[in-house]
Amino acid sequence: MDTEMWKRAVAEAAAKLVRDKMVVGLGSGTTVAKVIQALVKLKSEAIFVPSSSATQRLANDLGLKLSSLDVHGKLDLMIDGADEVDPNFNMIKGRGGAHTREKIVAGAAKRVIIVVTKTKLVKRLGERAPVPVEVLPFAREYTIRRLAELGGEPRLRMGISGAPFITDNGNYVVDVKFHSIPQPSELEQEINCVPGVIENGLFIRVVDIVLVGHEGGHAKLRSKREFLKFMR
Ligand code: 5RP
């Protein structure tokens, strides 16, 4: 299974949807990194709003034109990756810990395009991925307890140094395994109601198009019907 090739196929397809002069939000992760490389290859003249320091660094180093939400509050497009996508185009995001900013940038975009390999498509959210929850360091143990009361198995994310992982916003991430999430919209709200929670990685009704990389190239999914047909 050459998922690197699948990612490249889907990244090139996404980059081709970007027109010069568009203002485009960029998410984070390895697939978005390939989108950035494809945009550079196409000599894109669009303006990009990065949603993480890693994306900002890569896009800047490769010479893309960058801006911020303060300057460009309305975006034509957002391109981002995901950890799981369900048939209703709801998602779990945040394995990179950048979901808070990604949700804000997606909210500012007219259209959201998600780039994934087919390994990310699930029948029901929670099948594989935990829900990342960004929390204030001050509220660490309190939020962990409250997230367990919601039926999840919370675990504080650790960094490579052995200390807690720190987000671009200076916070911790608690990864909460739910195994199956029948009502993602309700859970998104419940998690965000816990004091100390900044934002969680459930993205509900924000996606317009899912581009899926697979062994035969890529597929463009615009509806539940197309998603289920592809999954068959
Ligand atoms: C980061 C994210 C990423 O978009 C998500 O984890 C997918 O990453 P990758 O393309 O590397 O699989 O949500 O916060």
Side-chain angles (χ1 to χ4, degrees):
M1 191 160 66
D2 190 355
T3 51
E4 285 307 299
M5 256 172 70
W6 302 359
K7 283 181 190 178
R8 211 170 307 124
V10 89
E12 283 167 6
K16 284 186 191 143
L17 298 175
V18 174
R19 303 272 166 263
D20 288 350
K21 306 235 163 60
M22 270 187 174
V23 184
V24 181
L26 289 175
S28 320
T30 53
T31 321
V32 168
K34 287 191 168 26
V35 175
I36 293 170
Q37 287 159 358
L39 286 162
V40 171
K41 228 160 113 195
L42 291 175
K43 299 188 179 14
S44 175
E45 286 294 324
I47 296 167
F48 297 94
V49 174
S51 59
S52 68
S53 56
T55 293
Q56 175 156 13
R57 220 174 303 121
L58 179 66
N60 188 54
D61 288 354
L62 295 182
L64 293 184
K65 229 182 279 169
L66 299 186
S67 182
S68 68
L69 264 193
D70 289 340
V71 178
H72 288 96
K74 285 193 179 156
L75 314 182
D76 298 296
L77 203 64
M78 160 83 165
I79 302 175
D80 201 353
D83 302 313
E84 281 187 356
V85 185
D86 79 3
N88 294 312
F89 286 17
N90 295 324
M91 307 184 284
I92 292 180
K93 287 185 45 55
R95 206 180 51 194
H99 57 278
T100 299
R101 293 191 190 187
E102 288 165 349
K103 206 179 266 193
I104 296 166
V105 176
K110 267 191 238 151
R111 283 195 311 150
V112 175
I113 294 175
I114 294 301
V115 283
V116 288
T117 55
K118 73 172 188 186
T119 54
K120 306 288 188 74
L121 304 186
V122 295
K123 289 211 176 80
R124 185 176 275 193
L125 292 183
E127 272 179 20
R128 291 193 282 269
V131 178
V133 181
E134 181 163 359
V135 305
L136 269 186
F138 173 81
R140 180 175 89 175
E141 290 308 314
Y142 172 75
T143 48
I144 286 176
R145 221 172 23 248
R146 292 287 305 271
L147 290 165
E149 283 166 14
L150 290 178
E153 294 161 18
R155 181 176 288 190
L156 182 67
R157 188 182 297 185
M158 304 306 282
I160 31 176
S161 65
F165 171 86
I166 306 285
T167 68
D168 282 347
N169 312 310
N171 298 310
Y172 291 161
V173 172
V174 177
D175 290 305
V176 192
K177 190 81 189 85
F178 284 97
H179 300 287
S180 173
I181 304 173
Q183 292 176 308
S185 173
E186 283 78 353
L187 186 62
E188 183 199 23
Q189 299 306 319
E190 280 173 348
I191 294 174
N192 280 357
C193 280
V194 174
V197 165
I198 310 293
E199 187 54 84
N200 70 77
L202 284 165
F203 282 55
I204 311 299
R205 285 185 288 277
V206 299
V207 181
D208 297 288
I209 294 173
V210 182
L211 293 174
V212 189
H214 57 91
E215 55 277 17
H218 78 277
K220 190 178 192 176
L221 309 181
R222 281 154 299 199
S223 66
K224 185 172 185 170
R225 205 168 59 91
E226 288 179 352
F227 184 107
L228 293 173
K229 199 167 153 205
F230 180 82
M231 282 282 263
R232 245 189 264 135

